Amino acid sequence: FWSQVNPYYDVRPEDWYNNAVSTLTYAGVLNGYPDGNFLPQSNITRAEFAAMAVRFFEGDEEEVDGDAFPDIKKHWANAEINLAYAKGIIEGYPDGTFKPDQEITRAEAVTIVNRVLERYPHKEHLLEDMIVWPDNMDETMWYYADIQEATNSHLYDLNRDDEDVPYEIWTELLPVRDWVALEQMWSEFDSAYNPGEVVSSIDASRFK
């Protein structure tokens, strides 16, 4: 699905986020607004993020009986939110609501990504020499392990508790990846003839 071309008026080829926006749009994960813009500098809502997350499971739908939350009735993302809940990707707040139009936090977004990727961090099975953040030192916070999971590349053994809930036991930390270099490599490998102009994967089914 790699692409560097998109239909949005406000996402230019030279923008640092163009590759990601174009690729996920071509994959059917992202959509723009009715006026043709993407609004890349706007904050994202919980509904928008849930909708994106569940689109990675296209073709793997489940039967959903009724609304999972009382505040999503007639919401544009109603179906996506219900499906995301059914798949265990999202949760609501203690009062039972989802607050679909509330801006999502970094911790909430990280946790959803972990669940999409089927990562199961456990605060008691991390490694002492892992990368830590000064504002994520409180192990009692609900997001503590998820933030550490997303921060550290690592090997792990997958175990299950007495209730058959999976959890990771970290065994070895791996070097931090250079994501900029990896993206550049993907760009050069997937999106251009060599030598040649950079083209969109929309225009060709396979590059060599």
Side-chain angles (χ1 to χ4, degrees), residues 15-178:
D15 290 331
W16 66 267
Y17 43 78
N18 173 60
N19 290 352
V21 172
S22 297
T23 297
L24 290 180
T25 296
Y26 185 55
V29 174
L30 293 180
N31 293 318
Y33 290 91
D35 63 0
N37 287 310
F38 182 73
L39 304 184
Q41 303 300 335
S42 297
N43 293 324
I44 191 169
T45 67
R46 286 169 54 81
E48 290 170 334
F49 204 85
M52 288 191 301
V54 82
R55 287 171 189 156
F56 281 94
F57 298 89
E58 183 179 4
D60 184 26
E61 298 184 357
E62 299 179 11
E63 291 293 331
V64 178
D65 184 19
D67 288 335
F69 309 100
D71 57 345
I72 64 171
K73 185 177 182 179
K74 296 184 179 180
H75 193 278
W76 66 267
N78 176 278
E80 290 94 339
I81 293 170
N82 281 321
L83 184 57
Y85 178 78
K87 289 186 172 296
I89 297 173
I90 61 170
E91 295 179 7
Y93 289 99
D95 64 359
T97 64
F98 182 69
K99 297 180 173 56
D101 296 319
Q102 178 172 291
E103 293 173 1
I104 196 168
T105 68
R106 289 165 61 87
E108 290 169 342
V110 162
T111 301
I112 290 174
V113 171
N114 283 342
R115 291 171 180 170
V116 169
L117 298 177
E118 297 184 336
R119 305 310 300 266
Y120 307 103
H122 193 295
K123 66 180 181 181
E124 296 180 3
H125 298 287
L126 308 180
L127 293 172
E128 291 185 358
D129 52 343
M130 64 183 172
I131 300 171
V132 297
W133 305 103
D135 55 351
N136 189 49
M137 302 298 289
D138 186 351
E139 296 184 13
T140 65
M141 299 301 293
W142 66 267
Y143 50 75
Y144 170 77
D146 277 294
I147 296 296
Q148 293 309 114
E149 175 74 34
T151 300
N152 294 272
S153 293
H154 57 274
L155 301 178
Y156 64 93
D157 292 327
L158 188 64
N159 282 30
R160 291 182 178 274
D161 63 19
D162 294 339
E163 298 180 353
D164 203 36
V165 177
Y167 65 93
E168 295 180 12
I169 297 179
W170 291 13
T171 58
E172 179 185 351
L173 292 175
L174 300 175
V176 177
R177 294 178 177 179
D178 186 340

Side-chain angles (χ1 to χ4, degrees), residues 190-204:
D190 290 326
S191 299
Y193 296 100
N194 189 17
E197 296 295 324
V198 174
V199 295
S200 167
S201 56
I202 295 176
D203 304 320

